[in-house]
Amino acid sequence: MPASHIAFCCLAVLALLWGRGHAQYGYLGYPEGYPEPEQEHYTPPELPADTPRIQLRLAGEKRKHNEGRVEVFYDGEWGTVCDDDFTIHAAQVVCKELGYMEAISWSPSAKYGKGDGRIWFDNVQCTGKEKSLALCTSNGIGVSDCKHSEDVGVVCSDKRIPGFKFVSALTNNIDSLNIQVEDVRIRAILSSLRKRVPVTEGYVEVKDGGRWKQIRDDDWTQLNSRVMCGMFGFPGEKKYNARVYRMFARRRIPSYWDYSVNCTGNEAHLSSCKLGQTLSMKNRTDGQGLPVVPLVRLRGGAVHGEGRVEVLKNGEWGTICDDNWNLMAASVVCRELGFGSAKEALSGGRLGQGMGPVHMNEVQCSGFEKSITDCYFNKDTESLGCSHEEDAGVRCNVPAMGFQQRLRLSGGRNPFEGRVEVLMERNGSLVWGTVCGESWGTMEAMVVCRQLGLGFASNAFQESWYWPGHVSADAVVMSGVRCAGTEMSLSHCLHHGEHLSCPRGGGRFSAGVSCSETAPDLVLNPQIVEQTTYLEDRTMFMLQCAYEENCLALSSSNTPANSFRRLLRFSSQIHNNGQSDFRPKASRESWVWHDCHRHYHSMEIFTHYDLLSLNGTKVADGHKASFCLEDSECDEGIEKRYECANFGEQGITVGCWDTYRHDIDCQWVDITDVKPGDYIFQIVINPNYEVAESDYSNNIVKCRCRYDGHRIWMYNCHIGGSVSAETENTFPGLVSNQVTHR
C-alpha cells in the first residue's frame, strides 16, 4: 500500500515568523464571539445534456492565486473570453464554476496578458445564476470577432465554496488543468507533533467535496514539497523519518484523493499547480539555507510577512517599481526573508510610499533565485518614469502559530474594537480575563491588532467601561504590560506574570483598543534640514513666549533680558507617506490654547530636537508642540484637507506635507552653553508614539554637525534606517527610532 505524502518543512526560521491561524485558502473572518455570515453549500451542477462541456482556469500574469485571465478548454484546445458585454455577473459565474464564493471584480483589455489560441466566447451576457459559463448567452462557442488584446480577466474572493468538489469535464489533457479544491492542510500524525504549533510535519491533505483526502506518495517531487511548504510559511522542506509513517499507514486505511499533483516549484499556491496522473512522495533534503545578511526588507506592513519591498544598493535602501511585478517575483522576496511563498504581489504603493531611490524596475524572476537581486531587472528607473506611487509590496505565507486563539476583543460595535481579553493559565487552568489598563498605550495596542490580524492600532484605551465584554472575563489576568511594538503576541511583551498589580482593578479600567487596516507614516525630509540650518543670536526680551513654552535651555532662567541666546535654527518638512491621514490623538475640544503665541496645541510634544556628542550623550535639546498640523503643500492631484485658520481641523493628509519654517518660534535648539566641536544632530517626530504609524523607524533624521563657536555646518543628513548598517555605525551611540521597552 502506498503511503500518504508527508510534508516536513524547515524549522530554522520559526523565531522570525507569525501566522494568522487559518488555512491558506481561508478568509480572515470575524474574531471569536461574532457570528460568521451564512454560507451557501456547494451542490454539483446538473447541466442540460446539450450543454457544451467546458473547463475553466485562471491564467496569465497574476498578482494573486485567485485572479487571472479567464481561459476555457473546449474541443481539445484552450482559449480565452472576449471582454465585449462582459459584466460582474459573468465574472460571478466564472468564479463559482471554479469553486470560489463570489467575484470581486473583472478587467477588460488583457490586463493579465494576451492569451493564445481560439477566443471561445464573445458578447457573453449572464444573469449571475448560471451553473456554467456555457449556459450564458453569447455569439455561440467559437464565434468571435475579437483579438487577444480584448481578453477578459477576473478577481475571485479568497474564500472557497464549502463542500466544493472538483469535477473534470476532460477525458484527455487533464494535466493542463489547475488544481481546484476547497482547502489544503498539513495534518500532524505523530502524537509528539499533534500539539506543536505551527504544524511542520505530517500528511498533505486536500479538502474536496467536503471531505479531507490524502495524497498518495508515488512520484511526489521535491518541487511539489517546495510549493506546499511555501504556502504554509516555510522557505523549504526537510527530511523526515519515512519508516515511522509507513508503519502508521499500514495500521489505518487512508482516503486518497483521485488526482495527483504536478508543480514546477515556482508556484506561490497549490491552485497554480497542474493535475497529474499519479501521486507520489520522496524524501527531501533542505538544499538551501537562509541568507545571513539579506539585501531585502519589508516596510509598512501591518503583520509579519507583509510590506513594501526595499532593497539595499550602494549602501542606500530603495524601492522596487511595480512594472511587471507578479507572484513569482514576490515569492522570491518572501523566501529570501525566510517566509514561504507569496500570497499576493502588491502594486501602486498600497503599503505606503518609500523614500530615496527606486532601485529596480521590470523585475523578471524564474522563481528559483536565492535573492530578488539575482532576478533580471531594468536598472534605468528614471527614464521609465517610476515614482514611489508605483512601489511594489508583498504579502507572504507565514506559519500558523495559533496566536489569534489566545486573544479576543469583546463588547465592541464591530470586530475592530473592544475590550482586550486574553487566555492565560491560572491555577492550572486556562481562563479568559482582562488586561490592566494602567500605562496601556499605542505600542501595546499595535501588538494586539497585529496578533488578531486586524491591521494597525488607531487608539489605545486605558478605560473600557463602554465595552461591557464577557462577564466571566472581568478579572484581571495580565498587568504591567510593556511592548516594543514589534512582538508577535501580547504574551511576548514584558508583564508582571503571576504577580499581578492593578490598583484600580479590571472591569471599567481594563485595556481596550480600536484597530484600523491602514495607518499614517510620517517621514522627515533630511535635505531640507541640511540646507536651512544657521545660527541666530537673539535677546531674551524677544524670547518671552518661547521661554514660557520651555523652548530654551535651563540656564535661560537666570539670563538678563538684554543678554543673548544662541539658537541653532532650521526648517523641517514632514511628509505623510502612509495610507491614512495623520490626526492628533486629542479631540479639538481638548486642545490647549497658548495665549502668548495665540494658537492651539493639538499635541504638546510633536517633535524632539537633540544635539548629541559623538558617544550619544545629550548636550542640548529642544522640543516643539504641534503649533499647527496642516497641509502646507500636497503632491499633484491631492487636495489640502487641513488648515489651522479659524480653529480648523488639524492633521496631515496622505500625500501632503507640513512645513515648519526656520523663522518661527521654538523651531530651534538653544546651544548657548555648547562648546565648539563635532556633534550629531537628531530630530524625532511623534517621539512618544501618541499616534499610531505603520513605520516608526523613519521618524528620525540624523546629521553630522560641526560647530566652531561662530559658524555651524550640517552634513550627511539621512532618515533613520535609510542607509546600510555600516553607514549607520558612523553615528556612534545612536540607533534608529525603533521602539524600545519603556
Side-chain angles (χ1 to χ4, degrees):
M1 177 186 295
S4 299
H5 167 56
I6 298 114
F8 185 13
C9 302
C10 186
L11 286 163
V13 295
L14 291 188
L16 305 174
L17 307 177
W18 171 74
R20 294 189 169 185
H22 285 272
Q24 300 302 312
Y25 273 87
Y27 163 69
L28 177 60
Y30 291 95
E32 189 175 341
Y34 287 86
E36 289 275 1
E38 287 190 16
Q39 300 173 345
E40 63 176 276
H41 285 267
Y42 180 80
T43 302
E46 295 182 6
L47 304 179
D50 59 348
T51 304
R53 291 300 188 260
I54 64 172
Q55 199 81 44
L56 302 182
R57 71 181 181 187
L58 301 181
E61 300 163 6
K62 304 181 183 183
R63 287 177 173 165
K64 294 180 71 175
H65 68 85
N66 52 325
E67 69 175 1
R69 180 176 61 246
V70 179
E71 294 197 345
V72 180
F73 190 88
Y74 177 74
D75 196 23
E77 183 181 354
W78 283 101
T80 62
V81 177
C82 183
D83 59 17
D84 291 349
D85 291 339
F86 200 89
T87 66
I88 191 66
H89 300 300
Q92 189 86 342
V93 174
V94 169
C95 290
K96 287 196 170 185
E97 192 167 354
L98 288 168
Y100 296 98
M101 283 290 287
E102 61 182 349
I104 302 300
S105 63
W106 67 278
S107 301
S109 307
K111 176 184 176 181
Y112 299 99
K114 297 179 182 180
D116 298 315
R118 301 279 295 275
I119 297 177
W120 285 122
F121 290 104
D122 187 8
N123 295 111
V124 177
Q125 297 180 15
C126 305
T127 66
K129 297 180 179 179
E130 293 85 356
K131 299 296 183 183
S132 170
L133 190 66
L135 293 175
C136 296
T137 301
S138 70
N139 291 349
I141 194 161
V143 180
S144 173
D145 59 358
C146 293
K147 299 178 181 179
H148 282 298
S149 59
E150 300 171 83
D151 286 345
V152 77
V154 299
V155 179
C156 302
S157 63
D158 284 335
K159 189 163 181 64
R160 305 284 294 184
I161 297 174
F164 176 80
K165 182 172 177 60
F166 172 71
V167 178
S168 173
L170 307 185
T171 53
N172 299 314
N173 297 96
I174 193 170
D175 57 351
S176 65
L177 285 175
N178 293 106
I179 293 172
Q180 300 168 23
V181 291
E182 183 184 344
D183 210 341
V184 185
R185 71 181 182 188
I186 300 174
R187 181 165 68 94
I189 298 300
L190 305 182
S191 58
S192 60
L193 301 175
R194 287 177 190 166
K195 293 185 178 181
R196 184 180 295 177
V197 177
V199 176
T200 59
E201 178 181 342
Y203 286 160
V204 171
E205 297 184 337
V206 294
K207 194 175 186 181
D208 192 26
R211 296 182 57 198
W212 287 103
K213 297 182 179 181
Q214 296 160 12
I215 297 179
R216 293 166 61 97
D217 68 353
D218 302 341
D219 298 328
W220 180 272
T221 69
Q222 194 169 346
L223 299 177
N224 294 352
S225 297
R226 187 173 191 265
V227 174
M228 279 299 302
C229 289
M231 273 184 65
F232 287 92
F234 301 95
E237 68 287 332
K238 196 175 179 180
K239 279 187 177 180
Y240 66 95
N241 188 343
R243 184 173 62 87
V244 174
Y245 285 96
R246 291 194 190 100
M247 292 172 57
F248 188 89
R250 284 194 288 267
R251 295 203 305 266
R252 300 197 178 187
I253 299 175
S255 174
Y256 289 122
W257 194 39
D258 297 332
Y259 302 94
S260 60
V261 176
N262 183 11
C263 303
T264 63
N266 60 9
E267 297 89 349
H269 199 279
L270 191 69
S271 63
S272 298
C273 297
K274 306 296 184 186
L275 288 175
Q277 296 296 336
T278 57
L279 296 152
S280 65
M281 201 292 287
K282 294 182 180 178
N283 292 354
R284 285 96 49 206
T285 56
D286 183 5
Q288 300 179 7
L290 297 178
V292 177
V293 183
L295 298 175
V296 63
R297 69 183 184 185
L298 303 182
R299 284 289 185 268
V303 298
H304 291 282
E306 78 170 28
R308 177 180 62 252
V309 182
E310 297 187 352
V311 292
L312 185 65
K313 179 183 177 183
N314 298 329
E316 186 175 11
W317 288 98
T319 60
I320 296 178
C321 190
D322 63 10
D323 293 350
N324 298 341
W325 187 247
N326 58 23
L327 270 180
M328 209 171 290
S331 290
V332 172
V333 169
C334 291
R335 282 195 161 100
E336 181 177 0
L337 291 172
F339 301 108
S341 52
K343 273 190 213 174
E344 187 174 0
L346 300 166
S347 60
R350 279 178 57 190
L351 294 179
Q353 296 182 22
M355 295 286 283
V358 179
H359 283 323
M360 301 172 71
N361 184 34
E362 296 180 341
V363 178
Q364 297 178 29
C365 304
S366 69
F368 293 95
E369 293 86 354
K370 291 184 178 181
S371 171
I372 191 68
T373 56
D374 294 335
C375 299
Y376 168 82
F377 64 94
N378 192 331
K379 300 177 183 178
D380 187 8
T381 57
E382 291 186 8
S383 64
L384 295 169
C386 285
S387 68
H388 287 298
E389 293 178 357
E390 302 171 84
D391 284 345
V394 298
R395 287 196 175 105
C396 304
N397 287 312
V398 297
M401 304 296 291
F403 292 139
Q404 283 178 306
Q405 313 308 318
R406 303 183 69 90
L407 187 72
R408 68 189 183 193
L409 300 184
S410 182
R413 297 163 297 179
N414 59 64
F416 286 81
E417 67 177 21
R419 184 175 78 176
V420 178
E421 296 179 358
V422 294
L423 189 63
M424 298 287 285
E425 186 173 337
R426 288 290 178 266
N427 300 321
S429 300
L430 288 173
V431 296
W432 285 99
T434 58
V435 178
C436 184
E438 189 174 347
S439 300
W440 183 261
T442 302
M443 291 298 101
E444 291 72 40
M446 290 285 271
V447 174
V448 167
C449 294
R450 179 184 300 116
Q451 184 174 346
L452 290 172
L454 298 178
F456 305 96
S458 56
N459 284 291
F461 302 95
Q462 295 187 357
E463 295 184 16
S464 54
W465 52 269
Y466 31 80
W467 293 323
H470 292 270
V471 177
S472 60
D474 277 346
V476 174
V477 295
M478 182 180 278
S479 65
V481 181
R482 292 288 183 278
C483 300
T486 57
E487 293 87 352
M488 297 182 288
S489 167
L490 197 65
S491 61
H492 296 167
C493 301
L494 294 174
H495 58 92
H496 291 154
E498 296 181 358
H499 307 288
L500 299 174
S501 175
C502 191
R504 296 195 298 175
R508 63 171 293 172
F509 299 110
S510 302
V513 302
S514 61
C515 305
S516 172
E517 293 179 338
T518 60
D521 182 20
L522 297 188
V523 183
L524 199 64
N525 187 324
Q527 284 73 38
I528 295 293
V529 176
E530 188 170 314
Q531 294 166 6
T532 59
T533 302
Y534 65 96
L535 297 179
E536 180 190 7
D537 290 339
R538 178 172 282 204
T539 56
M540 271 300 297
F541 74 84
M542 296 178 64
L543 294 170
Q544 287 308 303
C545 285
Y547 177 75
E548 290 180 17
E549 294 194 11
N550 299 315
C551 294
L552 300 175
L554 291 177
S555 61
S556 63
S557 59
N558 301 318
T559 303
N562 60 351
S563 63
F564 287 84
R565 305 298 298 180
R566 176 155 290 182
L567 308 176
L568 168 58
R569 282 188 172 276
F570 53 91
S571 296
S572 58
Q573 188 182 88
I574 301 164
H575 295 243
N576 183 0
N577 285 359
Q579 300 168 273
S580 62
D581 295 353
F582 184 94
R583 299 296 308 280
K585 180 181 178 181
S587 62
R588 182 159 53 172
E589 294 73 23
S590 60
W591 294 351
V592 179
W593 173 257
H594 284 257
D595 195 56
C596 192
H597 278 130
R598 308 295 295 173
H599 58 230
Y600 286 93
H601 288 183
S602 57
M603 295 174 66
E604 275 303 309
I605 297 183
F606 176 59
T607 316
H608 278 168
Y609 307 135
D610 297 312
L611 193 66
L612 307 159
S613 68
L614 295 184
N615 65 7
T617 303
K618 188 183 297 185
V619 296
D621 63 5
H623 77 275
K624 188 163 190 61
S626 54
F627 280 15
C628 174
L629 285 175
E630 66 177 2
D631 297 327
S632 302
E633 298 291 339
C634 297
D635 291 331
E636 185 177 352
I638 298 176
E639 293 186 6
K640 299 178 182 180
R641 301 175 67 179
Y642 303 105
E643 187 175 5
C644 297
N646 302 318
F647 195 39
E649 290 288 352
Q650 293 193 25
I652 306 176
T653 305
V654 174
C656 299
W657 57 91
D658 187 7
T659 301
Y660 283 85
R661 285 175 51 88
H662 56 82
D663 54 1
I664 63 175
D665 262 7
C666 296
Q667 187 63 30
W668 63 55
V669 175
D670 183 352
I671 64 167
T672 305
D673 306 319
V674 174
K675 298 177 180 178
D678 289 322
Y679 297 96
I680 295 167
F681 181 54
Q682 177 175 283
I683 304 174
V684 184
I685 47 181
N686 193 16
N688 297 334
Y689 317 113
E690 282 188 40
V691 179
E693 297 186 46
S694 59
D695 186 359
Y696 287 108
S697 66
N698 57 13
N699 282 31
I700 186 171
V701 160
K702 310 173 202 175
C703 304
R704 286 279 193 172
C705 178
R706 174 164 293 181
Y707 174 49
D708 68 357
H710 305 283
R711 295 169 296 176
I712 196 158
W713 291 266
M714 201 76 74
Y715 59 100
N716 287 354
C717 292
H718 65 277
I719 299 169
S722 66
V723 295
S724 66
E726 290 78 10
T727 303
E728 205 72 66
N729 288 338
T730 64
F731 288 74
L734 291 183
V735 294
S736 62
N737 193 33
Q738 290 288 74
V739 184
T740 54
H741 290 292
R742 301 191 299 278

